[in-house]
Amino acid sequence: MKISFNWLKEYIDLSGIEIQEVIDKITLAGLEIEEVIDQSKMFKNFVIGHVKEVKKHPNADKLHLCVVSDGVNDLKIVCGAPNVAENQKVVIAKIGAVIPENNFEIAKAKIRGEESFGMLCSERELNISSNHDGILVLDNALEAGTTAADAIGLNDVIIEVAITPNRQDALSHLGFARDVAAIFNRPVKFPSIDIEEINEESNSLAYVEILDPDLCPRYVGKVVKNVIIKESPEWLKTRLESVGLRSINNVVDVTNFVMHEVGQPLHAFDLDYLSDNKIVVKKAGDENSFTTLDSKKRVLQSNDLMICDGEKAVAIAGVMGGENSEVTSSTKNILIESAFFNPSSVRKTAKKLGLQTDASYRFERGTDPEITVWAAKRTAQLIQLTAGGEICKGEIDAYPVKFGLKQVKLRFERISKILGYDVPNEKVTEIMTNLGFEIVSANNESVTVTIPIRRHDIEREIDLIEEVARIYGYEKIPDIERVKVTLEPKFDETEFENKVRETLNGLGFYEIITNSLLSESVANQFGNSIAVLNPQNMDMSNLRTSLIPGMLTTISRNIKVKENNLQLFEIGKVFNKKNDLIKSFDDFSEESILMGIITGKSIDTDWYSKDSNYDFYDLKGYVYQFLKSITNKEILHSYNAEDSLLVEYSVILELAGEELGTIGKMNDDLISGYDIEQPVYFFIFNLEKLSNIPVEEKKFKELLKYPKVYRDLAFVIDNNITHNEVLETIRNGSSKLLHNIKLFDIFQSESLGEGKKSLAFQLEYFDVSRTLTEDEVEKDFKNIIKIVEKKFSAKLRG
Amino acid sequence: MEQRIIEIGESFTKELNIVKNSKDLENIRIKFLGRNGLLSQLFEDFKSLPKEEKPKFGQTLNVLKNDLQNNFDIKLNEVSASEKSEKSFIDFTLPGKTKSKGSKHILIQTLDEIKNIFKGLGFSVATGPELESDYNNFEALNFPADHPARDMQDTFFVNPDFLLRTHTSPVQIRTMQKYAPPIRIIIPGKVYRNEAVSMKSYCLFHQVEGLYVDKDVTFAELKGTLVSFAKQLYGNDIQYRFRASFFPFTEPSAEMDIWWQPSGKEGRWLEILGCGMVDPNVLKNVGIDPEVYSGYAFGMGVERMAMRKYGINDIRNYFDNDKRFLEQF
């Protein structure tokens, strides 16, 4: 909302107060000023000029060479306007001036070979109207050299105020003035309405019937006869332009003016187009289409509240009037509407229609039903002032649902209890009074006030405490220097996640965060996805069921910029429907998932090793190291999982029968769909299951005091025998003295025979309580060789 | 004796001259200077010489010993220097064998920073689901249905009763339902807003909220806590102000600004967080008596904080996950 200081000053005396001080204090009090337009600064370097001479430009038919006095010097200016003539008073944009229309800065220029020291401005260039037919020609009485800001009244300061949804009462100049008044302790001056009415009564010319009083508790009408519709006077245009409104005609402009003055949206009907001279306020019912005054056909719902006449709808209540009854140049008789509509009803209708107007914006925040009569009178007064006519006596006032006045008690002790500092009692009552809250009773403990209906946001003691705090000033709250520390048990629900992150960082993984919203087809590829009712676009219509698409998109994007070597992980939620209808938290799942990938090379330095491509064993190494850090458990059983469209091969990791996650290689077809041509190895874990693994408590193991004995051996065996099978056989066949078996070489060669490989192991023997003898180790070692040779038809090498 | 002294001296010089490496040198050391070497033998023999001959040979022997040792040392230095340069030439300019460095996402790092400050002030850390009920996200937090306050947060709905949470505040409700005061938590997490993706906005972002409910919690304490937080994050010399504002779940409500002075640009007040005293309606909704208890709450967005701190100008950088971006943090 825009507030003009020139306009504001009509309602409050700001003498002796700097505008900047008003801006700073009102911002702190909760009416946030987002932008300040100081016209006098904006129109710096714009002065009134006297055109002394106009000649044709020698090189261009449409241009003129002018000599214009700025009061001190004669300036040569090239001008293209058709209406420029000698002895005019015009606005010169001198060198350094910035044209408001386009932020163009005027500099000395050569136009078709002729020098120019400025520009003569049109109304559009000055942002005061859309007129660009020629330059603005001013009253000849003006002195050359006067600043343009003063000469044409462009000396306003206009602010853009962000009004929070609870403060509809401040959505007008008078409303804004009330807060300024409370802060600076000065009175608000309402304009006096001194009108002469004819004897004919408004309610003899029009009738109002409210069929849905809950949706329209009050409807005030007033009639003005025999008006002449024409252009608005300058003062009215200036006011409307200052708040960013376009002038339409005198009557419509007056309704807009009064809305911005007092906050009551108003509508003017052409009374002669209302059949039966009747207003009926009712729901749309079967009527399902209506043309608003912007000539657009609107589709209605049966619950939308409409303003109708004797036979048809004439306005969508609180949103927009109809084309069929709008004020036109031939309008003679006016019915002014000044009503209060149910906020949530207006909001629903405006939302469904996708039509937010200045009126609906105010109605849906709750207007002031008590101001309706005043606003109708004020409108009539200004219509008469600008359009002539006769004001009919009295108002039609349909007020079926009265608003009870709220009384709220404020305990002084409660103020310091909530705010933590004392506000003097007299200051509290002064603030109440200045905000227009009537004091009903007061004593040493409390004050009871009546809340004006316009303050829909104030119902309770706490709301009054807020009023006291914001008007008295948050800056008066002391900077407290100590706080209590309570000793309730502490917890950190992100601790496990962070441990996972830090462990993976230590292994070289970068964390990524991807979008949780995917297209329907992608989301459904990995699960039973949940759709968003109102998505931004179809690429972001469903909740993700897997972290895979986000991860593959990330890999793909990186490969496109030649970042081929990647070690990434993401921790995020995935969502799956359990039932089609989501009525409770049981109807869907939301799980925390960890996914990581490796792809490309493990070492960036090519000169050292040409073959550092990541492979499955890199992945397995990372995963096992990770799991060991997280769980402090070393052994996790793994089984081959079934083939799928997602993976080339994979291994499921289990602990005590519970599936923890999967590791493997992504399916080539899947990743090539993301333009990825290099192998991608992945791991996916359910984070909650991981976090539920009981962490083996760390216990110190006594360091070995006796020497270890090592024995190496290598077997030639069939290719299809796995490392694990041999390992288990050795373990089962050995004595208790064998503690570790380490594979240190795998070797395949024709010299070993077809389909054969050599596995070389190092066996580690020791006893915690004594030194071993050569004999007992040798005996065990020989026994192992025998068993393995027998079981796998293996041969001991060398 | 004299003859042997001369011979040993000469053969030492001869052999030393043809030494090629440290191994040869070691052999010479053993042969001449070792414990059972030729020099030791000479000294051994010297002991059995007649008394009158001892002064004469004693001196000569000592000279020989010093000569041999000196020459040996010189040679040793030469040999080891040349061996070092031959055998272990390292080109220090070759690139090192680097592996992936790894890091937390910058948003998580920023969250950690905020979290750690509040943990130091005695806060616990709570989390909650992203797919929430309308009740927890709005109703319980004093956002009535069909109220313009709901327009403050554009919402992704799954159906009229379930939605993607627009703030982490539903975790306030969940925590207050679960625990009795005192409650002192911060809530980090992902939240969603139905906004078009652009340089300045994304459909999701990260938020940290705080909640403290106890007896005698005051606005002054809220302010003190947040000032302490802002100073820890932005430095002790910040300028700040609290502005009245509106959030349905707090009353009174405020926004905190700090003075932001980017180098070479005009300074301005910059909003860093929203806060306020927990609205009595919210306390009532979770069965806490607002006459006995009071509380404060605050919340801030992580993306914007990190954008300012690191000069990131496009919010989409966070979610594109370009390795060249990730590596910078």
Side-chain angles (χ1 to χ4, degrees), chain A residues 268-547:
Chain A
F269 291 106
D270 186 328
L271 185 56
D272 299 323
Y273 283 94
L274 297 180
S275 56
D276 306 338
N277 291 346
K278 201 172 170 188
I279 289 288
V280 182
V281 187
K282 62 174 186 187
K283 288 182 185 162
D286 296 340
E287 200 152 358
N288 56 18
S289 132
F290 179 71
T291 305
T292 41
L293 48 77
D294 53 3
S295 304
K296 286 192 179 133
K297 214 172 193 175
R298 310 282 175 177
V299 178
L300 304 171
Q301 312 277 325
S302 59
N303 274 336
D304 293 336
L305 190 69
M306 301 300 292
I307 310 299
C308 306
D309 62 10
E311 49 191 38
K312 60 183 186 295
V314 291
I316 304 173
V319 182
M320 197 183 262
E323 201 175 32
N324 55 14
S325 56
E326 75 174 314
V327 171
T328 65
S329 54
S330 57
T331 297
K332 289 258 168 310
N333 302 313
I334 303 276
L335 173 69
I336 301 162
E337 168 197 286
S338 177
F340 178 89
F341 297 114
N342 176 291
S344 75
S345 159
V346 173
R347 182 177 148 82
K348 275 185 199 155
T349 300
K351 272 219 132 169
K352 269 181 286 187
L353 292 172
L355 181 63
Q356 194 185 60
T357 58
D358 283 346
S360 73
Y361 184 78
R362 285 169 174 79
F363 280 125
E364 70 177 47
R365 282 161 171 72
T367 52
D368 179 8
E370 296 292 292
I371 204 70
T372 45
V373 171
W374 186 93
K377 281 187 184 164
R378 173 74 168 155
T379 307
Q381 175 192 27
L382 293 176
I383 286 177
Q384 192 178 48
L385 185 71
T386 60
E390 298 127 18
I391 302 173
C392 297
K393 192 184 255 172
E395 295 80 33
I396 309 148
D397 187 0
Y399 198 176
V401 181
K402 297 269 191 302
F403 287 82
L405 283 180
K406 296 167 283 187
Q407 283 196 352
V408 180
K409 181 169 152 188
L410 173 56
R411 295 165 289 174
F412 296 124
E413 155 273 324
R414 199 69 194 159
I415 298 176
S416 52
K417 180 126 177 150
I418 295 290
L419 299 182
Y421 68 109
D422 291 321
V423 182
N425 293 3
E426 326 76 72
K427 192 74 204 169
V428 173
T429 43
E430 180 190 296
I431 290 169
M432 297 289 110
T433 311
N434 282 344
L435 285 169
F437 304 168
E438 203 184 308
I439 312 276
V440 179
S441 63
N443 56 36
N444 284 338
E445 264 98 57
S446 67
V447 55
T448 302
V449 295
T450 305
I451 310 299
I453 292 167
R454 65 170 184 275
R455 292 301 302 265
H456 301 283
D457 60 321
I458 297 179
E459 290 176 332
R460 306 160 300 169
E461 184 178 50
I462 192 75
D463 302 322
L464 288 179
I465 293 174
E466 175 172 64
E467 292 302 295
V468 171
R470 73 178 185 91
I471 299 295
Y472 190 58
Y474 283 2
E475 74 279 6
K476 296 207 178 73
I477 303 174
D479 267 357
I480 214 166
E481 280 179 353
R482 43 184 66 78
V483 294
K484 295 190 294 285
V485 173
T486 50
L487 299 175
E488 78 279 3
K490 305 291 177 193
F491 57 88
D492 181 351
E493 291 175 4
T494 60
E495 202 176 4
F496 180 73
E497 253 180 50
N498 254 344
K499 192 176 165 196
V500 167
R501 287 191 172 99
E502 277 154 21
T503 307
L504 288 170
N505 290 159
L507 294 170
F509 286 83
Y510 286 97
E511 183 176 19
I512 63 168
I513 298 177
T514 68
N515 197 343
S516 325
L517 293 165
L518 300 172
S519 75
E520 187 183 353
S521 61
V522 172
N524 279 335
Q525 197 179 353
F526 301 92
N528 192 7
S529 78
I530 299 167
V532 172
L533 271 187
N534 51 341
Q536 277 286 332
N537 57 57
M538 294 330 280
D539 290 336
M540 291 167 27
S541 63
N542 287 54
L543 293 182
R544 66 181 171 194
T545 53
S546 163
L547 300 184

